Amino acid sequence: MAFSDSAEELKHLKRAMSDLVSVLALPAVWSGQEPRQIVMTFHDALMSTLDLDFLYSRAKFEASVQPIKILRTAPLSAASQNVEKTLHTLNRRFEDAPQNWPAEERGHFGGQEYSLLSLPLGIGGEIGIVVASSARADFPTQSERMLLSVAANQVTVALQQARLLSEQKRIAGELEFRVAERTLSLAAANVKLRKEIDDRKRAEEALRASEINLRQIIDSVPGLVCTMSPAGETELVNRPIMEYFGKSIEELKGWTLGNNDAVHPDDLPRVISDFRHSITTGTPFETELRLRRADGVYRWFKNNGGPVQDTGGRITGWYFLIIDIDDRKCVEEALRASERNLYLTINTIPALAWSARPDGTAEYFNQHYLDYLGLTQDQAQDWGWTEAVHPDDLDGLIDAWQFMTNADKGGECEARLRRFDGIYRWFLFRTNPLRDESGKTIKWYGTNTDIDDRKRADEESRRSEARKTAILDSAIDCIVTINHEGCITEFNPAAERTFGYRRIDVLGKQLSDVMIPPSYREEHRQGLARYQATGESRVLGKRIELTAVRADGTEFPVELAISRIPMDGPPSFTGCLRDITERKQAEQELRRSEAFLAEGQRLSRTGSFFWRVATEEIVWSEQLSRIFELDPSLKMTLELIGSRMHPEDLFMLNDMVEGARYGSDLEREYRILLPDYTVKYLHVVAHGTKSNDGQWEYVGAVQDVTDRRLSDEALNKARSELASVSRTTSLGIMTAAIAHEVNQPLSGIVTNASTCLRMLDSQPPNIEGARETARRTIRDGNRASEIVTRLRALFKRKEVATEPIDLNDAAREVIALSWSELQSERIMVRQEFDEDLPAVRGDRIQIQQVILNLLRNASDAMREIDDRPRQLLIKTECDDGKNVQLTVQDTGVGFAPDAVDRLFESFYTTKQEGTGIGLSVSRSIIEAHRGHLWASANDGPGSSFAFSIPHDYSSEPN
Amino acid sequence: MMNPRSLVSIVDDDESVRESLPDLLKEFGFASQTFTSAEAFLASDGISRTECLILDIAMPGMSGPDLQRELKRRQSKIPIIFITAQRDESVRTQLVESGAIGCLFKPFNDTALLDALNAAFRVK
């Protein structure tokens, strides 16, 4: 972006920074908010910060929930004229898969042209999208794009956190609900059990009462007495008989069986048969029968009779005692039914029922009991059942039972019983004695109730209580509970430490008086009152930050989450508080240092990155994204970086990735090519360290050195121009060789001039020949003066110094000196040195000059190469045991086959800026060292230049 | 006595030498032929007729001294005048010691060449 002056730029920068800070502050506002609120505040912030016509967001969390779609328009904008239509268009436009969303485009809404910038929420837009739009043609500017992208990142993070928070809350709520439900159902089961036991007791009492009643009835039955003749005719009856039948004695006399309706017709045949038998045989008569009372009602009677004999043994008559057993009969019948019923009940109720004798030995077990123990009635008899009692509980149970029988008083006791399958479960043994009228115990009845679940629940509840206490005691957060009146009911040790009160001192006190600064107390009371009245709360279930006060009056920031304790009755609340003084400070520090870092990175145009090689995980700083002009929300990958690399430098990336597998430190300079074809020069430095899992991790910095590089290039150009001069100057030692180049044309001039003179002097003068030689002289003279002008000052004569030279060392020095130049030309240098190379004799500087010249030629030959790597191979070898050879191979433009002869001619050059003396000078130097310098074309692209020098130069020449 | 039509061969990779020397030699009264390299000279049929050789020292491929050694090996008695653009006294000394008539540093004047040629034919 261009600015008219620095004041304008500063103003703009300030504005952008302050916008950035306000966007960065959004997460503090969002903490604990619902997703919709987050998106709304996000819209508020951006609409008030940026000059937008409308802002549209779509965010979705779960497949089941409708996405949040929000459109905010600027007042007076064309979009605000028809919000419905705009929203509809946007909904449809961005309904697609995220990869189909246009990043930026210009479009029409409501007849007005708009620039759109869309930013995916989430790495791949999986959460949704934000679309910002403005009618301005320059929208989005660089800073707007950056702000929107930072804000979109922030809102993505906030939305993800909100989702996480709501999920946690939902799970916690569900858990508490389940515990409460289970507790309630256990309590209900206990109540039912108690009721069943009470009912059973009442039933037993009723039975006992009826038995007593029965006895009383039986005892009070008046006897009916009558006598009969030996033939079986009624003779005498007692009063009750008369009363019963409602007949006078006269009427009753002469009754016999069968001549009246006194006997129930159903009983009559049996009674007649029995009676005849008794009369015939003279044996006592005993029967039960129904007799018709005066009112027509039949009642049961027991009829006992016997013969009355005279002294001679002759039967003189019969007497009968007839006892009304009708009540007993009924009771018996009822009892039988009741017993049957009881038996069924006892055997079917899901309790273990039993009875015992007064001495404590067991008498009866219901079927359920026997099935449960897996014993037969006989096996369980007496003390047999104790075999199923848990050994640890047996003594206690026997003691309790003996105590009950001794005290003759019912009671209860708990013990484990072994089920048929070997599992022990807890039972409650309850007994009650059955007493006769005198109060003597005649039997014991008992039930055993399975209380295993309750026992476990009790145990669980005890543990849960202990856990809760432990949590409360050890919690780092302050946990405070209050009842509906706002009085403190719990105050854990962390709260004691944080607030400086002892639990004992604050229990029962008003929360607001203890923990809330005076200025907020009224608000708290109103909030509590409002909740009581309407059930509305601004704080429940949220994470809020507020100010609290300590016992000593100091105020400090806390984070607070309040939830209602899910119990019946008046509401009570639990609050979880955390002193966030340090966090606040740290947040502020962090924000400040992040701002510093971001600003620092921006100002120094340096981005940083973290790279885990094995997983290809790459984390970029925002500035790095800015340098690469990539969306910071994109996930960085090597492919993405590769897409920005300058095609010629792509191999460097591959090279770096390869090197990184072995942890080598990276330092490179390479170019990136942006979509608008701008080229940036970047300098990367990265250091690798091994992580705990043995993988290489790189932390590095990337600096945009474009400006420096461009000025460097200009400088370099100047420098190399200078160098081509100073290089030769510094090599005064080369003068002899240079002289060769100069003397060659001079030689022609002198020869021609001499010839010319001689032709003119001859008789007759050879005018034609003289003219020709003169012409040549002038031509060569001009050529030579050109050379001389160029070289005059550069060369002076000096003897060749000879010393032993290690060609490898000499070459290495030259490479080191040329390194930055080669780097800036983006040339990869490969070295293949024969380390056993013998020394050669000669002038080190001259030889190095030749190597330098060959390197420069190779570099120049590759300057225009863009379609393949610029690679340079420098190789030394001992060719045939006598000569040492150095080859410089390039992948450059090469030379035409017919040019090879001219390559070494002085001033022959294919280069625009070349003097054309390099190769010929080099050849002269090598030849002066008794060596050869030659060129050859490669099999592939480029050419090779090589020289060889005898290593036993000292013995030459002869 | 100098034979006016004696053949002088010139071996030099430098074109200006090959262009200018024959005219001067002609003025001196010699016939001449030029070769661009030592190899070309050895391959020619002019060796036997050559009565004097003007030979450049530094050339691509076979150098002047190489050719001198090769001729010596072939028992050739052709007198050799070295010419060189490399002004190195130690080289001249070595070459003269190895049997050359002389060694002229380019550019040389016509008199120096004539003296050397006279010396060559005196030897012969």
Side-chain angles (χ1 to χ4, degrees):
Chain A
M1 210 177 297
F3 297 100
S4 54
D5 53 35
S6 58
E8 182 68 18
E9 180 175 1
L10 193 65
K11 209 173 109 196
H12 190 89
L13 188 65
K14 269 187 189 159
R15 163 97 197 273
M17 287 312 290
S18 87
D19 289 350
L20 189 61
V21 167
S22 50
V23 168
L24 286 170
L26 283 174
V29 181
W30 287 334
S31 170
Q33 282 193 349
E34 298 296 323
R36 175 166 279 275
Q37 288 173 300
I38 291 173
V39 179
M40 295 292 270
T41 23
F42 167 70
H43 275 232
D44 289 346
L46 284 182
M47 289 302 286
S48 66
T49 309
L50 297 171
D51 178 18
L52 298 176
D53 281 304
F54 65 84
L55 183 66
Y56 165 81
S57 296
R58 191 161 58 74
K60 187 178 174 77
F61 296 97
E62 294 156 45
S64 57
V65 180
Q66 278 292 309
I68 300 169
K69 293 174 184 171
I70 294 176
L71 172 68
R72 186 74 52 93
T73 58
L76 302 177
S77 69
S80 71
Q81 304 304 311
N82 197 342
V83 173
E84 281 302 314
K85 196 170 168 222
T86 310
L87 185 60
H88 180 69
T89 313
L90 286 166
N91 280 344
R92 231 181 29 210
R93 183 76 186 84
F94 293 99
E95 205 76 336
D96 273 359
Q99 62 268 23
N100 296 336
W101 297 340
E104 286 180 30
E105 68 172 15
R106 208 147 163 88
H108 288 270
F109 288 99
Q112 167 92 40
E113 202 180 358
Y114 284 107
S115 294
L116 289 184
L117 170 66
S118 82
L119 297 155
L121 296 179
I123 289 169
E126 68 281 0
I127 293 182
I129 186 160
V130 174
V131 181
S133 178
S134 168
R136 283 185 290 116
D138 68 344
F139 176 83
T141 64
Q142 203 173 347
S143 58
E144 282 170 332
R145 192 180 290 118
M146 177 197 71
L147 260 182
L148 280 163
S149 110
V150 169
N153 269 355
Q154 299 276 47
V155 81
T156 301
V157 171
L159 288 174
Q160 278 168 337
Q161 275 173 348
R163 178 169 57 168
L164 210 60
L165 198 64
S166 77
E167 183 68 5
Q168 281 171 348
K169 258 182 218 157
R170 191 181 62 71
I171 290 168
E174 201 168 294
L175 207 62
E176 279 180 13
F177 176 72
R178 278 192 200 152
V179 168
E181 208 176 33
R182 182 84 184 111
T183 311
L184 282 174
S185 80
L186 274 174
N190 271 347
V191 167
K192 199 173 156 207
L193 196 65
R194 220 165 281 139
K195 191 166 172 295
E196 274 173 13
I197 290 167
D198 286 351
D199 286 353
R200 164 98 180 80
K201 209 185 279 174
R202 268 197 294 278
E204 282 173 359
E205 274 168 10
L207 179 64
R208 201 167 58 201
S210 88
E211 280 180 356
I212 291 166
N213 194 25
L214 170 68
R215 287 188 183 81
Q216 286 171 345
I217 290 167
I218 291 169
D219 288 347
S220 68
V221 164
L224 302 186
V225 178
C226 74
T227 61
M228 284 189 171
S229 67
E233 289 164 344
T234 306
E235 290 178 343
L236 287 172
V237 297
N238 70 349
R239 191 168 185 81
I241 289 184
M242 289 185 292
E243 282 171 8
Y244 184 78
F245 290 111
K247 306 276 185 190
S248 65
I249 180 71
E250 288 74 25
E251 290 172 296
L252 291 168
K253 268 193 175 170
W255 272 24
T256 182
L257 288 167
N259 71 349
N260 55 58
D261 57 359
V263 178
H264 193 286
D266 291 351
D267 298 339
L268 197 56
R270 173 177 57 86
V271 174
I272 288 174
S273 161
D274 288 355
F275 191 58
R276 282 203 183 126
H277 174 76
S278 286
I279 288 185
T280 315
T281 60
T283 49
F285 174 78
E286 184 177 348
T287 189
E288 287 181 359
L289 76 175
R290 278 165 289 183
L291 296 176
R292 192 169 176 274
R293 207 166 55 187
D295 56 4
V297 173
Y298 286 98
R299 289 179 68 83
W300 279 99
F301 285 85
K302 183 176 171 72
N303 191 338
N304 285 86
V308 182
Q309 294 168 319
D310 61 12
T311 47
R314 197 169 53 96
I315 292 171
T316 55
W318 294 82
Y319 72 90
F320 295 95
L321 174 62
I322 304 162
I323 299 164
D324 187 334
I325 57 163
D326 195 72
D327 286 351
R328 197 197 81 198
K329 266 288 202 188
C330 289
V331 168
E332 272 178 4
E333 187 54 38
L335 190 61
R336 250 195 311 278
S338 152
E339 272 178 349
R340 204 162 47 239
N341 210 4
L342 180 64
Y343 177 80
L344 279 173
T345 308
I346 286 173
N347 276 329
T348 48
I349 56 165
L352 311 184
W354 50 271
S355 65
R357 301 180 192 93
D359 66 358
T361 54
E363 185 181 43
Y364 171 79
F365 298 86
N366 73 348
Q367 196 55 43
H368 188 60
Y369 201 160
L370 294 170
D371 289 349
Y372 188 87
L373 298 183
L375 296 175
T376 63
Q377 197 74 244
D378 285 347
Q379 286 173 319
Q381 274 291 323
D382 295 340
W383 296 103
W385 59 279
T386 55
E387 178 252 345
V389 177
H390 194 286
D392 293 351
D393 301 343
L394 187 58
D395 288 351
L397 182 65
I398 297 296
D399 283 353
W401 181 222
Q402 278 181 351
F403 179 80
M404 284 183 241
T405 49
N406 288 343
D408 196 20
K409 210 174 150 196
E412 53 183 56
C413 178
E414 293 178 351
R416 279 164 287 180
L417 278 178
R418 190 186 61 225
R419 207 162 55 187
F420 62 89
D421 58 4
I423 305 278
Y424 283 97
R425 289 178 71 82
W426 279 101
F427 280 85
L428 175 66
F429 289 66
R430 277 216 176 94
T431 68
N432 265 320
L434 176 68
R435 302 173 202 278
D436 63 10
E437 300 93 298
S438 64
K440 187 168 159 263
T441 297
I442 53 170
K443 209 180 240 191
W444 288 88
Y445 283 102
T447 57
N448 300 350
T449 314
D450 185 337
I451 52 166
D452 203 65
D453 288 346
R454 199 199 71 207
K455 278 285 250 192
R456 283 182 204 283
D458 284 354
E459 182 60 26
E460 189 50 41
S461 148
R462 248 196 314 280
R463 276 197 210 129
S464 149
E465 189 61 31
R467 263 203 300 272
K468 200 183 90 188
T469 309
I471 290 169
L472 280 177
D473 288 355
S474 63
I476 297 167
D477 289 349
C478 308
I479 298 171
V480 178
T481 62
I482 57 168
N483 63 13
H484 64 289
E485 291 170 317
C487 295
I488 296 171
T489 52
E490 189 52 76
F491 198 78
N492 78 336
E496 291 184 317
R497 284 193 298 275
T498 306
F499 285 89
Y501 289 107
R502 286 192 306 159
R503 176 175 183 270
I504 200 76
D505 295 335
V506 295
L507 287 187
K509 287 195 176 162
Q510 276 290 320
L511 173 83
S512 55
D513 294 341
V514 173
M515 294 161 61
I516 300 179
S519 50
Y520 296 106
R521 278 176 199 164
E522 193 45 41
E523 201 182 328
H524 166 76
R525 283 194 199 102
Q526 284 175 2
L528 192 60
R530 186 175 53 244
Y531 181 75
Q532 303 256 30
T534 67
E536 259 177 53
S537 169
R538 295 179 189 161
V539 296
L540 266 192
K542 289 175 193 158
R543 195 163 284 269
I544 52 174
E545 288 184 12
L546 43 79
T547 309
V549 62
R550 290 196 182 86
D552 62 7
T554 53
E555 298 188 359
F556 63 106
V558 294
E559 186 180 61
L560 169 64
I562 304 176
S563 53
R564 184 178 162 164
I565 300 170
M567 289 201 312
D568 295 336
S572 52
F573 306 92
T574 176
C576 205
L577 287 101
R578 184 180 297 174
D579 181 348
I580 55 168
T581 312
E582 286 178 10
R583 199 185 77 193
K584 279 281 187 196
Q585 283 166 354
E587 275 175 6
Q588 214 168 345
E589 284 296 319
L590 184 63
R591 218 169 289 142
R592 197 177 300 138
S593 73
E594 275 177 353
F596 271 134
L597 179 64
E599 181 66 355
Q601 290 207 344
R602 204 185 60 76
L603 288 175
S604 66
R605 295 183 183 169
T606 304
S608 51
F609 67 86
F610 168 82
W611 175 28
R612 191 189 296 273
V613 179
T615 61
E616 300 197 347
E617 176 194 355
I618 300 173
V619 182
W620 278 27
S621 76
E622 282 195 20
Q623 180 60 30
L624 195 48
S625 300
R626 222 168 287 146
I627 290 173
F628 271 70
E629 296 184 14
L630 284 169
D631 182 347
S633 65
L634 288 179
K635 182 175 156 55
M636 283 306 153
T637 61
L638 287 173
E639 287 72 30
L640 194 57
I641 297 165
S643 72
R644 281 282 197 261
M645 289 293 288
H646 194 289
E648 290 173 35
D649 294 352
L650 193 55
F651 75 92
M652 285 205 205
L653 182 68
N654 302 333
D655 203 36
M656 275 191 276
V657 173
E658 189 54 34
R661 310 234 177 263
Y662 310 105
S664 46
D665 281 356
L666 307 173
E667 180 162 10
R668 289 294 167 107
E669 224 182 272
Y670 57 84
R671 292 168 299 173
I672 56 171
L673 183 64
L674 299 176
D676 61 359
Y677 296 105
T678 317
V679 172
K680 279 188 182 173
Y681 289 79
L682 305 184
H683 183 205
V684 58
V685 180
H687 175 65
T689 49
K690 257 197 178 158
S691 66
N692 293 338
D693 55 6
Q695 299 296 337
W696 284 104
E697 291 176 348
Y698 279 79
V699 176
V702 177
Q703 191 173 19
D704 181 351
V705 295
T706 310
D707 289 351
R708 202 175 72 197
R709 180 56 51 218
L710 291 179
S711 63
D712 270 5
E713 284 209 335
L715 185 63
N716 268 348
K717 201 174 152 201
R719 190 184 289 151
S720 74
E721 279 166 3
L722 184 66
S724 69
V725 175
S726 64
R727 178 169 26 143
T728 24
T729 342
S730 69
L731 296 169
I733 337 132
M734 282 174 46
T735 6
I738 298 303
H740 180 261
E741 310 302 319
V742 183
N743 292 339
Q744 205 75 272
L746 283 181
S747 167
I749 292 164
V750 172
T751 308
N752 281 320
S754 311
T755 312
C756 180
L757 286 173
R758 284 181 185 277
M759 283 174 172
L760 290 173
D761 286 346
S762 65
Q763 290 300 327
N766 179 356
I767 301 298
E768 200 47 46
R771 189 173 287 132
E772 176 54 28
T773 49
R775 197 187 57 73
R776 278 194 231 136
T777 308
I778 293 161
R779 184 201 63 195
D780 288 355
N782 286 339
R783 217 174 97 194
S785 83
E786 203 179 317
I787 299 163
V788 171
T789 312
R790 275 195 229 158
L791 303 181
R792 193 170 41 206
L794 302 184
F795 313 114
K796 62 184 181 202
R797 190 188 160 82
K798 195 176 173 189
E799 293 295 316
V800 173
T802 64
E803 57 179 323
I805 307 164
D806 179 336
L807 211 52
N808 290 343
D809 280 353
R812 279 194 193 99
E813 274 179 31
V814 174
I815 291 166
L817 285 169
S818 317
W819 192 248
S820 78
E821 202 178 326
L822 291 166
Q823 275 274 340
S824 78
E825 294 286 338
R826 289 170 299 286
I827 288 166
M828 256 182 45
V829 178
R830 203 147 55 84
Q831 306 178 3
E832 283 179 19
F833 287 161
D834 177 355
E835 296 301 336
D836 297 326
L837 211 61
V840 296
R841 282 198 79 81
D843 187 296
R844 184 183 183 83
I845 304 291
Q846 284 191 20
I847 296 290
Q848 287 187 328
Q849 186 60 31
V850 173
I851 298 170
L852 180 66
N853 186 255
L854 296 183
L855 289 183
R856 273 174 188 262
N857 281 346
S859 162
D860 291 345
M862 291 190 280
R863 181 165 291 155
E864 306 298 325
I865 302 303
D866 289 336
D867 60 343
R868 54 179 181 264
R870 300 176 181 177
Q871 281 176 324
L872 189 154
L873 167 68
I874 176 159
K875 186 166 79 173
T876 61
E877 60 200 314
C878 201
D879 61 357
D880 54 3
K882 207 173 159 197
N883 293 304
V884 173
Q885 183 175 325
L886 182 142
T887 310
V888 174
Q889 194 178 53
D890 63 53
T891 56
V893 291
F895 47 77
D898 57 348
V900 71
D901 292 337
R902 303 198 58 211
L903 282 175
F904 297 95
E905 282 178 23
S906 297
F907 306 104
Y908 173 81
T909 179
T910 54
K911 293 178 255 172
Q912 298 235 318
E913 293 152 40
T915 61
I917 58 167
L919 272 179
S920 62
V921 168
S922 295
R923 173 175 263 192
S924 306
I925 293 171
I926 295 303
E927 283 171 356
H929 284 79
R930 316 300 294 166
H932 301 290
L933 172 65
W934 67 93
S936 57
N938 293 340
D939 286 345
S943 50
S944 298
F945 284 79
F947 65 79
S948 79
I949 305 174
H951 60 78
D952 52 350
Y953 182 67
S954 55
S955 65
E956 293 278 329
N958 264 320
Chain B
M1 274 303 287
M2 181 195 331
N3 182 346
R5 303 299 329 151
S6 298
L7 180 66
V8 178
S9 291
I10 304 162
V11 180
D12 198 326
D13 60 333
D14 185 48
E15 195 189 350
S16 69
V17 172
R18 296 198 304 277
E19 185 187 54
S20 57
L21 261 187
D23 284 344
L24 184 60
L25 289 172
K26 193 176 165 196
E27 285 302 311
F28 289 155
F30 296 106
S32 66
Q33 57 182 359
T34 59
F35 300 90
T36 55
S37 68
E39 292 85 347
F41 174 69
L42 287 173
S44 77
D45 55 359
I47 301 178
S48 54
R49 292 188 290 113
T50 298
E51 291 177 61
C52 179
L53 182 61
I54 298 177
L55 182 56
D56 188 24
I57 292 179
M59 286 180 295
M62 203 175 197
S63 69
D66 289 341
L67 180 57
Q68 181 192 28
R69 274 191 290 279
E70 176 60 21
L71 292 173
K72 198 183 268 180
R73 193 183 65 75
R74 295 187 187 189
Q75 317 280 319
S76 163
K77 302 275 190 225
I78 304 172
I80 298 172
I81 301 165
F82 281 99
I83 54 174
T84 178
Q86 203 163 343
R87 204 172 276 270
D88 191 333
E89 291 296 341
S90 62
V91 172
R92 170 154 53 191
T93 317
Q94 281 174 4
L95 291 172
V96 172
E97 281 172 3
S98 67
I101 297 301
C103 180
L104 304 177
F105 293 139
K106 295 177 188 174
F108 42 84
N109 65 39
D110 49 351
T111 333
L113 179 62
L114 190 58
D115 290 347
L117 284 166
N118 288 334
F121 284 96
R122 255 201 309 279
V123 168
K124 204 172 152 70

